[in-house]
Amino acid sequence: RRKVYKSTDTGTGDGNEQQQQGVVIAMVVSTGANFAIAAGITFAMQYGFFLVAWCLQTDKVTDMAYSLNFMVISILSLVLSEEYYARKIVVTVLVCLWGMRLMGYLVMRVHKMKRDKRFDKMRESFCGFFGFWNIQAVTIAIVALSFMMLNTQDGKNPDIQWSDYLGWILFAIGWPLEAVADQQKFNFKNEHPADFMKSGVWAWS
């Protein structure tokens, strides 16, 4: 009886282990698939905006493409996960708030400036300009890894931790500071285009 009992118990343990392994594999596959889709959309967006920028020889879509891409893949990764937990929703909203603020400022700046002098020589070479857009796409993919790893994790809804609140508080402080710093620098450059700003919020850095 003891032998039969042990054999039955081992079989149950093996079944549970196999089931857990299956769940882990499914999660990895699902996460990898969602990330691959988001990465593919990132490169597709950047290449699409590159063609517009190259054909029109303009810089007015460069910064917009950068900020907009973060918003698109943050929302997309959340929707693809089909799991709307508090942490995922809050992080996605914060990414979108950051992206909208940054995009609004950068689009306003380039429209005021008419062009970005940093790209003047780069725009003359198709390969050089295309290389920049590839670097921008890779940068977006790397920076987005943090919220992509969160949003593409299926079946995980841990409790909100103190570190979550700390991160949200830092965002609440940093987001308006970034906006103030950008506006101060923009105003300064309009009055002193050749000088380096050492006042205002920028003085802290």
Side-chain angles (χ1 to χ4, degrees), residues 4-19:
V4 173
Y5 173 77
K6 287 182 179 179
S7 176
T8 304
D9 182 61
T10 303
T12 303
D14 291 343
N16 290 335
E17 287 180 5
Q18 290 177 356
Q19 185 177 6

Side-chain angles (χ1 to χ4, degrees), residues 3-166:
K3 290 183 179 180
V4 173
Y5 173 77
K6 287 182 179 179
S7 176
T8 304
D9 182 61
T10 303
T12 303
D14 291 343
N16 290 335
E17 287 180 5
Q18 290 177 356
Q19 185 177 6
Q20 290 176 354
Q21 289 175 355
V23 171
V24 171
I25 292 173
M27 288 175 59
V28 170
V29 171
S30 177
T31 300
N34 290 341
F35 180 76
I37 292 172
I41 289 177
T42 294
F43 278 90
M45 284 183 64
Q46 294 304 305
Y47 289 165
F49 279 109
F50 158 73
L51 291 175
V52 173
W54 171 256
C55 292
L56 299 179
Q57 288 292 291
T58 180
D59 305 317
K60 293 184 177 180
V61 298
T62 306
D63 292 324
M64 180 178 68
Y66 179 79
S67 308
L68 181 62
N69 211 147
F70 283 107
M71 291 187 282
V72 169
I73 59 177
S74 65
I75 295 172
L76 177 67
S77 59
L78 176 65
V79 172
L80 287 175
S81 73
E82 298 182 341
E83 294 175 337
Y84 304 101
Y85 303 143
R87 181 184 281 110
K88 289 185 175 184
I89 294 172
V90 171
V91 169
T92 300
V93 169
L94 295 184
V95 170
C96 290
L97 285 175
W98 170 80
M100 285 188 290
R101 204 286 310 171
L102 183 62
M103 183 173 67
Y105 166 72
L106 294 176
V107 169
M108 178 273 294
R109 185 185 69 174
V110 76
H111 276 274
K112 286 268 189 179
M113 295 166 52
K114 304 302 180 185
R115 76 182 199 279
D116 193 330
K117 295 179 180 179
R118 296 173 299 173
F119 300 117
D120 283 349
K121 289 187 177 181
M122 197 180 298
R123 258 186 275 106
E124 297 174 1
S125 167
F126 179 90
C127 292
F129 201 38
F130 184 61
F132 162 79
W133 282 86
N134 275 281
I135 292 172
Q136 178 156 286
V138 171
T139 301
I140 293 170
I142 293 174
V143 174
L145 275 175
S146 54
F147 64 79
M148 283 293 300
M149 290 177 66
L150 169 66
N151 281 357
T152 57
Q153 284 185 347
D154 294 336
K156 289 188 176 181
N157 183 26
D159 294 333
I160 301 297
Q161 306 292 327
W162 66 267
S163 55
D164 292 296
Y165 294 111
L166 177 61

